[in-house]
Structure formats: C-alpha cells, structure tokens
Amino acid sequence: IKFSYPKNLLSPLSLSYEQTSDFCTRLFVFGGERNISETAEATTRLKMLGDKDYISLKGSYGKPIIEKSVVFDEVYPRRNSVVQDVVVDSNGNYKIIDRTIDFDLSNYLFDGMSAKIAFTSGYLVGYEFEISYNHAERSVEIIQQEINGYVCPNSAMCPRIGDSYVFLDIKMPKEYKDRAQKELKEKAIEYFKNKCVVAIETSISVRPSWIFQNDINIKPYQEVTLIDEDLNVNEVLRVTSVVYYPFDDPTYGKKVNID
C-alpha cells in the first residue's frame, strides 16, 4: 500500500530520526590507489562513476548537511584470475600461464614503474613480485626476490595451478576501471544504508474516504510505502501500531492513524 498527500493522507509527512555518531546525509566515497597513480607518492584514488564523488540521503528532512567519508582500499581497477599452468626453466625461474588474459600488459605500463603480480591465494598469498610478460604465450615470468632470507619463488614457495592473482602497478584497460567504479558505488550504497542512515519514524493520518472506498485493513508489522515529493521520500516502512477511531459517521471503524 502506498501513502501520499493529498491522495490518501490528511496531511503531509512529518519525519523524525534519531541521530547517531555514524549518521550523515552526504557520504564521500573513495576507492584504492592501486592501478590508478603513476607514482608511488601520488594520492589519487578511484572514484565512483559520474560527476559526483559522494552519495546523499534522499532529502535532508529540514536538517543541515552532515558530511562523512569512507575509503574502500580493496576496490581498484583489477583483473581477478587464476593460474592455468606453471612452467619452471632450468635456472629455477617460474612462469605462470593464463590464456584468458585479454590485453597486452606491455601497452598499459606506467612510466618508470614495473608491472607486478600479487597472489591472493596459495603459498605466495600476500606477496608482490615484479614480472616480465609475453603476450603471445600469455605467460608471466616472476622475477625472483629475497623474502625472509630465501629467494622466492622456490620449490617450497611457488605458484600452483588454481592460485588466484591480480596485476598491480599497470593502467588497466577502461572496462576494468568501469567495473571497479561500479563495484565502488555498490559498496558505497550498501555502507550508506547500513552505517549512515538511521530508521525513519513518522505518524500518519489516513484519509477516511480512501479507507472506506478501498476497504483497506492496515495491521501492525505490515510494510507500507510512504511517498512525499517535497521531501524526496519514497521509502518502505514497517507499521508499528494502528489506532482506529470509531466516530459516528459513514466511515465508522475505518478512520485510522498509523505509526
């Protein structure tokens, strides 16, 4: 059931909310820095698609703008994939093969930076390695480095088929940036709903003639939609209480207030 004024309400909505330390009406949102900046010192971060780097509460309900910000470091342009094969040459150098790689890394390098690989599962999870890429073979040679006194990768700490990984410190094609920006907005909306917006409370008086004509019976715990264009509200709320007024008129038993 949808309620709005003047369609079936006796008066416009009057909303209230309980402000908490997390509450805000405007949330600025930023993603990670990886695969965004050309230098390690830069502080450029991924932003959401569109002209704005924030999301706002629907209407301010007569309250001042309250701004907060959140950073999702884990969201950046990236290609999540898995190792399909592993090749080790006579010198102990490791190459991973991934025939699903759909772009030539050599065309997406930042000036003065080396492309890297980071494993997100397996024995090398959490480590980053510089790489040499061969697009014809779809092979990624991992440049060995010393980790805790050992040269890695080695026979004990090495990539294996099925390990997941991402490329780092490369520009990434546009479709990957677009995908990351979409993911960022989805995370932002979810965060905003769960952390920044508190429950809205209101009490409404329903127009008796509308109740009578439509034979409506409102019950506690029922979900209803409240609409107010002036407040930019279109929200589903749960009824907590219903009060009927048995006045001596043709709508006897139908006049109702809802909280």
Side-chain angles (χ1 to χ4, degrees):
I1 300 175
K2 295 182 179 181
F3 291 112
S4 63
Y5 176 82
K7 177 183 177 182
N8 50 18
L9 295 184
L10 291 174
S11 60
L13 292 182
S14 177
L15 304 179
S16 63
Y17 59 84
E18 180 183 354
Q19 184 170 325
T20 67
S21 59
D22 290 328
F23 179 80
C24 68
T25 60
R26 179 174 294 174
L27 180 69
F28 287 87
V29 182
F30 304 96
E33 298 176 286
R34 303 306 294 259
N35 297 345
I36 297 291
S37 307
E38 294 198 26
T39 63
E41 293 78 17
T43 56
T44 304
R45 289 186 174 275
L46 180 71
K47 296 183 179 180
M48 296 184 295
L49 281 171
D51 299 329
K52 296 180 179 179
D53 52 9
Y54 64 86
I55 55 178
S56 297
L57 186 65
K58 289 183 178 179
S60 61
Y61 310 137
K63 301 296 182 180
I65 295 176
I66 303 172
E67 297 180 344
K68 291 188 180 297
S69 63
V70 63
V71 175
F72 297 96
D73 274 317
E74 73 278 12
V75 182
Y76 57 90
R78 65 198 187 279
R79 178 182 179 276
N80 298 301
S81 192
V82 297
V83 176
Q84 292 186 332
D85 202 357
V86 179
V87 177
V88 186
D89 66 21
S90 58
N91 296 318
N93 297 312
Y94 282 77
K95 288 184 180 180
I96 68 166
I97 309 297
D98 181 357
R99 300 173 187 85
T100 68
I101 297 175
D102 55 357
F103 64 97
D104 188 345
L105 272 67
S106 305
N107 298 327
Y108 293 89
L109 300 177
F110 287 124
D111 292 338
M113 295 182 70
S114 300
K116 298 181 180 66
I117 190 172
F119 289 91
T120 53
S121 72
Y123 288 93
L124 296 177
V125 64
Y127 294 112
E128 297 179 14
F129 298 87
E130 292 186 1
I131 58 175
S132 175
Y133 179 67
N134 185 314
H135 189 61
E137 298 177 353
R138 300 300 196 277
S139 66
V140 180
E141 181 177 349
I142 302 173
I143 308 302
Q144 291 181 322
Q145 64 184 44
E146 187 173 306
I147 300 176
N148 298 326
Y150 296 91
V151 175
C152 294
N154 56 47
S155 58
M157 292 183 61
C158 61
R160 288 172 168 76
I161 296 174
D163 288 354
S164 56
Y165 72 90
V166 295
F167 293 124
L168 297 176
D169 295 340
I170 61 175
K171 297 177 183 178
M172 297 298 298
K174 182 179 182 301
E175 57 266 30
Y176 288 98
K177 183 177 181 180
D178 292 345
R179 192 179 304 165
Q181 288 178 311
K182 180 180 178 183
E183 178 188 0
L184 180 62
K185 187 167 187 178
E186 291 172 350
K187 280 183 171 287
I189 292 173
E190 187 67 22
Y191 181 94
F192 191 68
K193 287 181 177 178
N194 293 333
K195 299 287 186 180
C196 303
V197 179
V198 296
I200 300 171
E201 296 181 355
T202 186
S203 179
I204 60 175
S205 295
V206 183
R207 190 174 294 280
S209 58
W210 184 84
I211 289 279
F212 181 75
Q213 292 169 3
N214 293 279
D215 194 25
I216 300 297
N217 184 23
I218 307 296
K219 297 180 180 179
Y221 308 111
Q222 181 177 349
E223 288 188 342
V224 298
T225 300
L226 299 186
I227 301 172
D228 190 309
E229 293 184 359
D230 291 337
L231 294 177
N232 195 21
V233 172
N234 190 329
E235 300 289 346
V236 176
L237 300 181
R238 188 178 297 277
V239 174
T240 57
S241 65
V242 182
V243 179
Y244 289 92
Y245 290 89
F247 294 125
D248 187 14
D249 61 26
T251 62
Y252 175 84
K254 296 293 184 180
K255 190 170 290 187
V256 58
N257 278 5
I258 300 175
D259 294 325

